[in-house]
Amino acid sequence: MEKLVSLAKRRGFFFPSSEIYGGIQGVWDYGPLGVALRSNVKQAWWRTMVELRDDVVGIDAGILMNPRVWVASGHVQNFTDPLVECKKCHQRFRADQVSGPRHEDDGGEFTEAQQFNLMFKTFMGPMESSATQVYLRPETAQGIFVNFANILNSTRMRPPFGIAQIGKAFRNEITPGNSIFRLREFEQMELEYFVPPAEEMKWLDYWKEERFNWYLGLGVRRENLRLRAHGKDELAHYARGAFDVEYQFPFGWSELEGIAARGDYDLTAHQKASGRDLSYFDDIVRERYVPHVVEPSAGVDRTMLTLMIDAYREEEVRGEQRVVLKLHRSVAPIQVAILPLSRKEPLTELAKQVEHQLRPHFRTEYDDTQSIGKRYRRQDEIGTPFAVTIDFESLNDRAATIRSRDEMTQVRVPLDELLPALRERLA
Ligand code: ATP
C-alpha cells in the first residue's frame, strides 16, 4: 500500500487534498493520470450498465436535495455508525472496528458506544438557521428513487428496468483511511433496478453475477475477488438478501461493491412521506404494485484503487528490478507512448507526426526527455501497454518499434501500418 501511494504521488495519480496546508483527512485530489483512470472506470461502468442495455437509463440528480428526502429514507434516524471515545487520549473510533474494551495504544478505557450520524450538514439560503439546513447526499440512490415517477412518465421504461447514476457522495466517516479506500468525499456508481415483486430474488442472483464478472472484464485477477453473501444479522431489516463483491486488499478482504435486494422499502417510504403515488400499473396482467428494487452499488475510487493494487508488480528483468502496473488496456490512462530515441531533428519531427496521427485514436503521450530506459520505466509504472519508439533508422525505413509493456517484446512495424497494428493490440 505504501509503495502504491508513493507511486501514485510520484507519477500523478492522486495526492492528499490541500497538502500544502497539511491536508484534510478523508479527501484526496486526483492528478492527470488519476483523472484519466477514473474517467475510464466510469465510462466502462456506464457503457456496460447503460449504453449496452435497452432496459437501463441514466440520470444525474443534485447533490443537495430537499431534506425531507433523508427523513423519509431513514438516513436522519439510522445512517449512523457506533462511536466510542478513549477516555485517556480522547481519540474516537468506530466501535465495530476496535477489538476490545480498551484502546490498544494507551490502555485507556472506551466510553459506551453512541450513534454518530455520518451525514454532512450545510446551510442553504442566506440564513444559518436550522430551517434551511440541508445535507450533502451520502449516496446517489435517493436521487433515483425520488425521480422514479418522472422516469416512468417520461420514458418507455417498464419493470423490469433500471435507473443508473454516477456522482459524488459524502460521508463523515469516523475513521477514513487506507488512502482512497475509505473517504469522506467519494464517487459512487449506482443502479436501482425495479422489478415485479415475485422476480426480486431472480434479479439479485443475476446482478451479483453480472457485477462480479464486470471486475474480471477489467482484468482483476479472479483469485483476489470473491462474492460474499450477507449473514442474517448483517442484513438491513427491509433487505431480502445481499452480497458483497470483495477484493483481497493488502489490509484484508474488504467490500468493493454491494448488491442488495431492497424490497419495496424505498419507494414505499417516499410514497408515504411525499403523498405521491409511486406504484406502477401493469396493464398486461392488470395489476398495480410498488416495484421491488435490486441495487448494485459500487465506488469509483475503490475500483480505481483495486485496479491499481491488482495491477502492481515488481519484476526482475536481466538483473534489474522493474515496477509495472499491468492495467487493462481499456482503462490504462495512456495507451500508447511515442518515444523518439533522441531529441535531435529530424527525429523529433517524425515522432511528432506519428503522435498526431495516433492521438485521435488512442490516449497517447509524447515524451522525449531523459534516456530511453528511464522513459520505458516511467511508462511501465503508469501502466502504458504500448510504446512506439522512433529511432534514426526510422528516417530511412519508415518504420518504428512497438514495445509491449507485459511481454517486453519489440516488433518493427512500417509507419503506415502502425494504426491498424495498435488497434488490433488494443481492441
Ligand atoms: P461500510 O460499512 O464499509 O462503511 P457500506 O456498506 O455502508 O460501507 P455502501 O453504502 O454499501 O457501503 O456503499 C456502496 C459502495 O460505495 C461501497 O461498496 C464502496 O465502493 C463505496 N463507498 C462507500 N463508502 C465509501 C467511502 N467512505 N469511501 C469510498 N468509497 C465508499
Side-chain angles (χ1 to χ4, degrees), residues 26 79 81 94 96-97 118 138-139 169-171 173 176-177 180-190 215 230 244-245 255-259 295-303:
F79 197 63
D81 275 338
R94 239 171 87 167
D96 55 338
Q97 288 177 350
L118 300 184
E139 61 174 35
F170 303 82
R171 295 183 187 180
E173 298 279 0
I180 59 170
F181 177 81
R182 189 176 297 284
L183 297 163
R184 287 182 169 143
E185 173 176 344
F186 57 100
E187 201 157 1
Q188 288 188 313
M189 306 181 280
E190 294 193 298
Y215 293 99
H230 279 209
D244 284 347
V245 178
E255 173 179 337
L256 180 52
E257 165 161 357
I259 301 112
E295 174 195 80
S297 171
V300 175
D301 315 85
R302 218 171 263 188
T303 302

Side-chain angles (χ1 to χ4, degrees), residues 229-421:
H230 279 209
K232 282 245 153 44
D233 52 325
E234 272 179 280
L235 285 178
H237 65 91
Y238 48 81
R240 303 287 195 73
F243 292 86
D244 284 347
V245 178
E246 292 190 334
Y247 182 76
Q248 190 167 20
F249 288 96
F251 45 87
W253 286 96
S254 300
E255 173 179 337
L256 180 52
E257 165 161 357
I259 301 112
R262 302 177 59 87
D264 62 359
Y265 174 78
D266 306 278
L267 289 180
T268 302
H270 286 303
Q271 185 165 261
K272 220 184 261 169
S274 68
R276 296 296 183 92
D277 179 11
L278 300 179
S279 65
Y280 165 69
F281 182 71
D282 184 333
D283 47 15
I284 297 171
V285 296
R286 309 206 58 77
E287 201 184 323
R288 180 170 290 284
Y289 62 85
V290 175
H292 285 208
V293 166
V294 176
E295 174 195 80
S297 171
V300 175
D301 315 85
R302 218 171 263 188
T303 302
M304 170 176 169
L305 179 66
T306 300
L307 295 179
M308 291 180 76
I309 288 175
D310 203 69
Y312 184 94
R313 313 287 156 81
E314 288 173 356
E315 291 178 350
E316 186 149 322
V317 182
R318 283 174 240 112
E320 266 189 59
Q321 274 251 324
R322 80 159 178 161
V323 169
V324 54
L325 276 193
K326 294 198 167 172
L327 290 172
H328 192 267
R329 57 194 180 279
S330 65
V331 291
I334 310 287
Q335 294 171 303
V336 183
I338 291 91
L339 314 173
L341 201 60
S342 110
R343 244 182 181 172
K344 292 206 180 86
E345 290 293 2
L347 205 60
T348 47
E349 198 190 316
L350 179 63
K352 279 184 181 150
Q353 277 171 16
V354 170
E355 210 244 339
H356 280 286
Q357 182 206 345
L358 298 178
R359 185 172 279 271
H361 306 279
F362 313 108
R363 296 184 290 274
T364 62
E365 184 175 272
Y366 176 90
D367 185 8
D368 64 7
T369 59
Q370 300 184 305
S371 73
I372 190 73
K374 281 199 174 139
R375 280 181 277 159
Y376 283 148
R377 225 164 300 152
R378 172 186 146 77
Q379 296 300 337
D380 283 345
E381 270 198 21
I382 67 175
T384 307
F386 296 103
V388 171
T389 313
I390 313 281
D391 53 30
F392 290 102
E393 194 49 34
S394 303
L395 295 164
N396 303 320
D397 70 355
R398 303 290 300 171
T401 303
I402 298 181
R403 173 193 183 263
S404 134
R405 172 196 71 195
D406 296 347
E407 292 84 33
M408 297 185 40
T409 48
Q410 309 213 7
V411 258
R412 197 82 183 158
V413 176
L415 293 185
D416 352 339
E417 284 165 33
L418 268 182
L419 183 57

